[in-house]
């Protein structure tokens, strides 16, 4: 049996031993260093650079994860107390009115972002719920939606409107509630109920227009619109005044006492120009606001009855009177501009 020389040096698997196959070469540290070897220029394990916050650091002024803002229900939460659940229920910042036909939070046009909703204001004492929006604005833009079926066939559909502030932010959404027979047989003189909701789908206002005459030949049965805010609580009326030539209206409070008057032009024709209905004091000595039917272009005016309106009023005007002026805008639209497509 061959005896091995016990004096032969054994290979050292350590650092830099070229005699051992698989040993590391000079200049390279071992893959695993049980002695805690640390290459020069590298920080030790667990080193935290100066100026960097530790793990889990929460910047000041930012809410913690999972923070829920006050006044907003959680996703899928219930509607406010006193309002039954329904298809119009939505989440904050997302419009979803279901049966009312309102828009969802989707682009208005291909590739165009959806219009933002006006931030929800804080509650105001003695203010009907939902009318706090009106306390912060002195101008309202009312844009009627174009109905493709109505434009192509002439079949009358329920009117729908987007109500915005001067910044283009949505404040409310209004939708007519009517049956097919009434819409197509009675035309613009039809009675209707208009429901106005906010960004959460909560009903803010309800407008009721009964079936009445608008001709100067019947002064005892002229137009009248009732405004409720919230639904079930009357806050005012819009009453047509008899005049042989001019369209005139009176804005009344809940006790049917006159507050403001509206006076329109002799011929409310929107041919290449805006049509102004001036809002005046009761003695008609000064103008305090205006309801304007805006010219939207020949194509839209000729082939649709989708109209745009602007309402101006003093900032400090009572929110209930502002709500009644909004109702007056819808009544004026139905009386004078609803049949623009058929006339053209």
């Amino acid at each position: 049996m061959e005896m091995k020389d016990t004096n032969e040096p054994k290979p050292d698997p350590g650092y830099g031993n070229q005699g051992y196959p698989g040993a590391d070469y000079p200049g390279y540290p071992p893959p695993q260093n049980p002695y805690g070897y640390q290459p020069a220029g590298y920080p030790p394990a667990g080193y935290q650079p100066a100026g960097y916050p530790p793990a889990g650091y929460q910047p000041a002024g930012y809410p913690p994860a999972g923070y829920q803002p006050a006044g907003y229900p959680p996703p899928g939460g219930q509607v406010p107390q006193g309002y039954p659940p329904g298809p119009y229920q939505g989440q904050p910042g997302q419009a979803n009115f279901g049966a009312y036909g309102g828009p969802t939070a989707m682009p208005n046009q291909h590739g165009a972002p959806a219009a933002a909703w006006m931030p929800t204001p804080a509650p105001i004492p003695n203010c009907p719920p939902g009318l706090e929006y009106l306390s912060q604005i002195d101008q309202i833009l009312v844009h009627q939606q174009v109905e493709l079926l109505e434009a192509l066939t002439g079949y009358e559909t329920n009117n729908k409107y987007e109500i915005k502030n001067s910044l283009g932010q949505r404040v409310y959404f209004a939708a007519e509630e009517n049956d097919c027979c009434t819409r197509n047989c009675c035309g613009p003189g039809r009675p209707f109920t208009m429901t106005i909701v906010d960004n959460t789908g909560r009903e803010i206002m309800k407008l009721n227009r009964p079936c009445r005459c608008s001709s100067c030949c019947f002064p005892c049965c002229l137009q009248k619109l009732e405004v409720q805010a919230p639904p079930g609580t009357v806050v005012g009326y819009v009453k047509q005044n008899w005049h042989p030539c001019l369209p005139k209206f009176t804005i009344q409070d809940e006790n049917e006492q006159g507050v403001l008057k509206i006076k329109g032009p002799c011929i409310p024709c929107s041919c290449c120009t805006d049509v102004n209905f001036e809002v005046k004091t009761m003695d008609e000595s000064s103008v305090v606001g205006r309801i304007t039917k805006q010219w939207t272009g020949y194509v839209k005016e000729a082939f649709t009855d989708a109209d745009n309106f602007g309402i101006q009023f003093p900032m400090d005007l009572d929110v209930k009177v502002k709500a009644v002026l909004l109702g007056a805008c819808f009544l004026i639209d139905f009386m004078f501009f609803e049949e623009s497509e058929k006339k053209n």
Side-chain angles (χ1 to χ4, degrees):
M1 177 180 296
E2 182 181 357
M3 301 294 294
K4 295 185 179 180
D5 188 1
T6 57
N7 295 328
E8 182 181 355
K10 297 181 179 180
D12 184 7
Y15 173 70
N17 184 7
Q18 302 182 13
Y20 184 76
D24 296 316
Y25 293 96
Y28 291 88
Q32 297 180 352
N33 187 5
Y35 302 102
Y37 172 80
Q38 183 66 32
Y42 286 84
Y47 171 75
Q48 182 67 29
Y52 283 83
Y57 171 76
Q58 181 67 30
Y62 284 83
Y67 172 76
Q68 181 68 29
Y72 283 84
Q78 300 297 324
V79 295
Q81 184 177 3
Y83 293 90
Y88 50 84
Q89 180 179 358
Q91 297 181 6
Q94 181 177 6
N96 182 14
F97 305 115
Y100 293 125
T104 56
M106 59 176 53
N108 295 330
Q109 298 176 355
H110 296 290
W117 283 88
M118 180 178 175
T120 304
I124 301 177
N126 301 323
C127 177
L131 296 188
E132 299 89 353
Y133 295 92
L134 300 180
S135 65
Q136 301 181 356
I137 56 180
D138 59 358
Q139 183 179 4
I140 296 177
L141 304 177
V142 181
H143 295 167
Q144 183 177 355
Q145 292 186 343
V146 178
E147 300 293 337
L148 184 59
L149 177 63
E150 184 174 344
L152 296 179
T153 65
Y155 177 83
E156 188 68 36
T157 59
N158 283 325
N159 289 356
K160 301 179 182 66
Y161 303 84
E162 288 182 327
I163 303 170
K164 304 178 181 180
N165 59 14
S166 58
L167 301 177
Q169 297 173 325
R170 291 187 182 129
V171 182
Y172 302 120
F173 183 85
E176 176 190 0
E177 297 178 3
N178 229 327
D179 58 88
C180 173
C181 181
T182 303
R183 291 195 310 267
N184 291 276
C185 295
C186 298
R190 63 184 181 267
F192 65 80
T193 298
M194 189 83 67
T195 301
I196 301 177
V197 299
D198 63 2
N199 62 334
T200 64
R202 179 181 58 168
E203 292 187 12
I204 303 300
M205 287 182 276
K206 190 175 287 290
L207 313 178
N208 294 320
R209 179 199 186 188
C211 184
R212 300 173 70 98
C213 298
S214 59
S215 173
C216 62
C217 300
F218 302 95
C220 61
C221 192
L222 296 177
Q223 292 292 311
K224 188 175 183 179
L225 180 77
E226 180 187 73
V227 181
Q228 301 177 3
T233 303
V234 178
V235 297
Y237 301 88
V238 182
K239 183 179 179 181
Q240 182 185 9
N241 300 332
W242 183 88
H243 194 279
C245 300
L246 299 176
K248 287 190 172 184
F249 303 87
T250 298
I251 302 297
Q252 300 177 333
D253 60 13
E254 61 272 20
N255 300 318
E256 299 193 45
Q257 299 297 317
V259 180
L260 297 171
K261 286 191 174 182
I262 300 176
K263 179 181 178 181
C266 180
I267 303 177
C269 176
S270 59
C271 183
C272 302
T273 185
D274 295 346
V275 182
N276 294 320
F277 291 76
E278 295 181 340
V279 180
K280 299 184 175 183
T281 56
M282 285 300 296
D283 57 2
E284 300 188 21
S285 60
S286 60
V287 178
V288 297
R290 183 177 292 109
I291 299 177
T292 303
K293 163 63 175 67
Q294 300 171 346
W295 170 256
T296 57
Y298 177 78
V299 174
K300 189 174 182 180
E301 294 283 346
F303 296 102
T304 72
D305 58 2
D307 303 313
N308 292 345
F309 287 85
I311 309 174
Q312 298 176 357
F313 38 67
M315 179 71 75
D316 57 352
L317 188 66
D318 188 355
V319 292
K320 297 180 181 178
V321 180
K322 292 181 180 181
V324 179
L325 285 174
L326 178 60
C329 176
F330 293 119
L331 181 60
I332 290 174
D333 180 30
F334 273 83
M335 290 181 61
F336 302 107
F337 306 105
E338 181 66 12
E339 276 196 322
S340 61
E341 175 190 358
K342 299 177 178 63
K343 291 180 180 180
N344 285 286

